[in-house]
Amino acid sequence: MQSSKRSFARLRGKSHGQSDAAPDSTAYAGDHESNDHLITSDDPLHPANLIPELCRKFYTLGWVTGTGGGISIRQGDHIFIAPSGVQKEMLVPQDIFVYWYQQQAYLRTPQLLRPSACTPLFMACFDRGAGAAIHTHSQWAVLVTLLLETIGDRDMFEINELEQIKGIPSKMGEAAMGYHDTLRIPVIENTPHEEDLTAGLTEAIEKHPEACAVLVRRHGVYVWGEDVAKAKTQAESLDYLFQLAVEMRKLGIPWLKQGDDGQTEKTKNLHYVE
């Protein structure tokens, strides 16, 4: 599959609310496995082609190691979802599930594969207008949540005055954050089963509607955006900032820029757990 800046520019030009063609009502009857036309396309940016390509890239970043993580893309009323429990770097279009968002039903279910355990969390992102959602098991994301366990505020990652913050929108669909803005990513507690995270993720989204991501303690991060290109940009920018935050902590550099008094309002009352 070919990828290029021009290709991703095309992604920005197509809303997740638009599909290439009107839904074919005849495709909704009968055996779900017969709907292979839904994942068959010569377009490298068709979700069924793009998901395997992105998973291969994410694997090289350590985001989907050991079958973990996942990605889902919305195209019109169709949701394309990577399967659960498979080697993400070896995915092919035939492995992709297709979900009918309006009717809350699967249109295509590959043989011998299970839908992603992340599906209800992805749906929570689509319910708020996202066009794509990414879940990674990034070590940097996990380390940030571990570091937050050692300080007073366990439920929010905050960092400011770093250039890469400009890769994050102030709110989905709105302008990018500025250099002087403070990035805030809520943190939720992990659960034994992935789908049980849905309530915590939904609550975090409702409490922090400006957020484009939620960290899961000792687990990873969920990131969403209004299209695939933006979700990917945000996931990459966040991973960069998480790694930088870990390295800053090693060097004793605070995540929030200090004022003239050598402290921020946040750090004045910060206490460390011995």
Side-chain angles (χ1 to χ4, degrees):
M1 181 184 304
Q2 297 178 349
S3 59
S4 65
K5 292 181 179 178
R6 182 171 62 86
S7 295
F8 269 102
R10 287 175 53 202
L11 284 176
R12 291 192 176 92
K14 181 184 293 185
S15 168
H16 68 266
Q18 299 173 336
S19 59
D20 293 328
D24 178 3
S25 60
T26 63
Y28 302 142
D31 189 350
H32 292 178
E33 295 168 8
S34 67
N35 286 333
D36 283 355
H37 67 283
L38 295 173
I39 52 89
T40 303
S41 174
D42 293 330
D43 184 355
L45 296 181
H46 185 281
N49 295 327
L50 192 56
I51 286 175
E53 175 68 13
L54 288 174
C55 281
R56 284 189 284 273
K57 293 181 183 299
F58 295 165
Y59 179 78
T60 66
L61 297 173
W63 289 4
V64 293
T65 303
T67 78
I71 179 172
S72 182
I73 299 172
R74 181 175 181 179
Q75 185 181 72
D77 206 32
H78 293 167
I79 307 292
F80 295 79
I81 310 167
S84 182
V86 300
Q87 304 292 327
K88 296 300 191 296
E89 74 278 13
M90 299 178 69
L91 282 179
V92 293
Q94 290 72 26
D95 297 331
I96 303 302
F97 286 77
V98 184
Y99 190 80
W100 190 6
Y101 183 76
Q102 182 180 5
Q103 296 297 323
Q104 303 289 292
Y106 282 99
L107 298 176
R108 184 178 189 277
T109 54
Q111 286 186 335
L112 306 178
L113 294 177
R114 293 179 290 109
S116 173
C118 306
T119 298
L121 292 101
F122 290 153
M123 293 303 163
C125 299
F126 295 131
D127 286 345
R128 70 177 305 231
I134 298 169
H135 173 44
T136 87
H137 285 188
S138 161
Q139 294 182 26
W140 303 114
V142 173
L143 282 169
V144 161
T145 69
L146 292 173
L147 286 172
L148 286 170
E149 289 186 0
T150 69
I151 62 179
D153 189 351
R154 292 167 49 92
D155 301 327
M156 185 70 67
F157 168 72
E158 296 180 285
I159 199 165
N160 65 7
E161 298 206 12
L162 293 170
E163 185 68 13
Q164 197 65 37
I165 288 174
K166 294 179 180 179
I168 308 299
S170 55
K171 187 177 182 180
M172 190 173 67
E174 298 186 2
M177 296 184 69
Y179 172 76
H180 292 291
D181 293 333
T182 297
L183 173 67
R184 295 180 175 89
I185 304 295
V187 184
I188 63 174
E189 298 299 327
N190 196 23
T191 58
H193 303 288
E194 191 89 26
E195 59 270 22
D196 294 336
L197 291 167
T198 308
L201 180 79
T202 301
E203 182 180 355
I205 290 174
E206 292 174 351
K207 188 175 180 180
H208 305 282
E210 76 288 349
C212 69
V214 169
L215 283 158
V216 182
R217 197 178 317 281
R218 296 173 175 258
H219 182 146
V221 64
Y222 278 85
V223 184
W224 56 90
E226 59 181 327
D227 58 37
V228 186
K230 291 179 180 178
K232 176 176 177 287
T233 297
Q234 291 160 202
E236 291 170 344
S237 297
L238 286 170
D239 204 57
Y240 173 96
L241 291 166
F242 295 153
Q243 180 176 3
L244 199 59
V246 173
E247 298 299 331
M248 289 169 70
R249 184 63 68 186
K250 289 180 184 177
L251 298 171
I253 302 172
W255 294 341
L256 294 173
K257 183 74 176 293
Q258 294 181 349
D260 294 337
D261 61 355
Q263 291 183 306
T264 64
E265 290 302 315
K266 185 74 176 178
T267 58
K268 284 180 180 178
N269 298 317
L270 191 67
H271 67 276
Y272 289 82
V273 178
E274 296 297 338

